[in-house]
Amino acid sequence: MVGHCIDDVIHDKILNPGRVIPKSSVSFQLNVQMFLSKICLFYPSEPLDVKTKFYNSDKDDLFLEVQIENISHSTVFIREVSLKLPEMYTEEALNTLNLEGEDECTFGTRTFLQATEGRHYLYHLQFKEEYLEKARTLSGLMEMGKLEIVWKRELGEMPMLHTVPLRREAPSCGELKLSLEKIPDTVAREEPFQITCKITNCTDKKMKLLLKMFDTTSVRWCGCSGRKPGRLKPGSSLSFTLTLLCLQLGLRSISGIRVIDTTLKTKYCYDDVANVCVLPSMVNMKS
């Protein structure tokens, strides 16, 4: 009727904060059927500031650090923090301590964050066995799934979902990656010691390898240079042990490893692959 109004308030819940575009529509009739539609745009404030960082290791795994901070002026209750990873990964949460035979959360029984308070979460990610060879050839920016945080402001309130997409830059290891599996922290001067290396074929072609070692001013390699580790398939790895000794005291760099692909006549040079602390020999000190 003329002069009358409808005063109804419509309530709704926003489950995932961020950009929200609600659309309201009203139909009414004068002489003909009329229709009115309006679109609004607003950004609800998010109380959580989330930072993520990936750490690569020399092995076929990586670590994810998650930092969550309450940047609002009120208390926020953290109900759940979970990862949704791609199919090729498995996860292990490192956020518990074993106390008296029982696993307890590192944050205790508290489920809330006061204003400006933060938490750190750590996860260990590994490739599944069936995806291991494929993973060794990955490079560039990779989609790593998402991090989901379920939170709420008040007890009894409907939980909200905060989603953080995860991406990481796969380390570029070139065509042939060399990593150390075993190396001592300290060695004695002029006394032989061993290191265990692993080489990985990061290409899509087979390699026929030749291994050579070259002496430096502080390092002498023992044994015959020019051994043949054999053929290496794409994405596969092989390990080998080398013997060497250091001539100078102090922190010394291990260099002089050369791997040659005899099929394509390509040489790969590996210098400064690790450092060892060289101490005086006890035999020489006694003499």
Side-chain angles (χ1 to χ4, degrees):
M1 296 177 63
V2 178
H4 286 259
C5 66
I6 299 176
D7 188 13
D8 287 338
V9 179
I10 300 175
H11 297 273
D12 197 4
K13 286 288 185 180
I14 301 172
L15 298 181
N16 199 350
R19 185 182 181 186
V20 179
I21 309 177
K23 180 180 179 181
S24 58
S25 302
V26 178
S27 62
F28 56 94
Q29 186 171 0
L30 295 176
N31 296 327
V32 294
Q33 186 76 20
M34 306 291 289
F35 183 81
L36 175 64
S37 177
K38 185 175 182 180
I39 296 178
C40 302
L41 174 63
F42 62 95
Y43 294 84
S45 60
E46 300 184 22
L48 300 178
D49 179 40
V50 182
K51 296 182 175 66
T52 60
K53 186 175 182 179
F54 284 97
Y55 297 89
N56 298 297
S57 70
D58 291 336
K59 299 181 180 180
D60 298 309
D61 56 1
L62 61 151
F63 295 87
L64 170 63
E65 179 188 8
V66 178
Q67 178 182 345
I68 302 175
E69 182 182 359
N70 180 9
I71 57 175
S72 68
H73 299 289
S74 59
T75 302
V76 173
F77 293 86
I78 304 296
R79 184 171 178 178
E80 183 182 3
V81 178
S82 60
L83 291 177
K84 305 296 182 183
L85 298 175
E87 176 64 24
M88 64 173 60
Y89 292 95
T90 61
E91 67 168 283
E92 178 188 5
L94 305 178
N95 307 305
T96 58
L97 294 175
N98 189 280
L99 300 176
E100 298 180 354
E102 295 185 1
D103 290 335
E104 295 188 10
C105 180
T106 53
F107 311 113
T109 57
R110 290 182 56 188
T111 60
F112 60 88
L113 291 178
Q114 301 284 8
T116 71
E117 189 177 8
R119 284 183 180 179
H120 283 77
Y121 295 82
L122 186 62
Y123 298 90
H124 180 204
L125 311 183
Q126 289 182 300
F127 290 103
K128 294 180 180 178
E129 189 68 28
E130 58 268 29
Y131 294 100
L132 201 53
E133 289 192 5
K134 178 183 177 181
R136 290 168 178 166
T137 60
L138 296 176
S139 61
L141 189 64
M142 299 175 53
E143 297 290 338
M144 295 294 296
K146 59 185 178 180
L147 173 72
E148 292 186 348
I149 304 170
V150 181
W151 62 275
K152 56 185 178 181
R153 292 186 186 274
E154 302 291 343
L155 291 175
E157 186 182 62
M158 181 179 292
M160 309 279 279
L161 177 64
H162 185 105
T163 303
V164 181
L166 299 175
R167 299 180 181 88
R168 79 175 181 103
E169 188 75 26
S172 177
C173 59
E175 297 179 346
L176 191 65
K177 176 184 176 182
L178 183 139
S179 57
L180 291 179
E181 292 187 321
K182 185 178 180 181
I183 182 172
D185 296 325
T186 59
V187 299
R189 185 177 65 173
E190 298 180 354
E191 291 187 9
F193 64 95
Q194 292 184 332
I195 62 173
T196 302
C197 304
K198 182 175 73 172
I199 50 178
T200 303
N201 182 359
C202 299
T203 70
D204 56 356
K205 300 178 181 179
K206 291 184 179 180
M207 291 184 174
K208 187 177 181 181
L209 303 179
L210 177 67
L211 176 64
K212 292 186 176 183
M213 296 87 71
F214 293 88
D215 295 337
T216 65
T217 55
S218 60
V219 173
R220 293 292 185 270
W221 295 95
C222 305
C224 298
S225 178
R227 71 168 74 175
K228 298 179 180 179
R231 296 181 181 273
L232 197 58
K233 296 180 180 180
S236 60
S237 302
L238 61 85
S239 300
F240 54 89
T241 300
L242 299 175
T243 304
L244 64 156
L245 56 86
C246 292
L247 304 179
Q248 299 175 351
L249 298 175
L251 191 64
R252 297 300 167 186
S253 174
I254 296 178
S255 301
I257 301 176
R258 304 291 183 264
V259 181
I260 302 171
D261 178 11
T262 57
T263 304
L264 299 177
K265 308 299 181 182
T266 305
K267 179 188 289 187
Y268 302 93
C269 303
Y270 302 98
D271 295 316
D272 301 321
V273 296
N275 293 292
V276 293
C277 182
V278 184
L279 304 177
S281 172
M282 297 301 296
V283 176
N284 294 336
M285 291 179 64
K286 291 179 180 180
S287 60

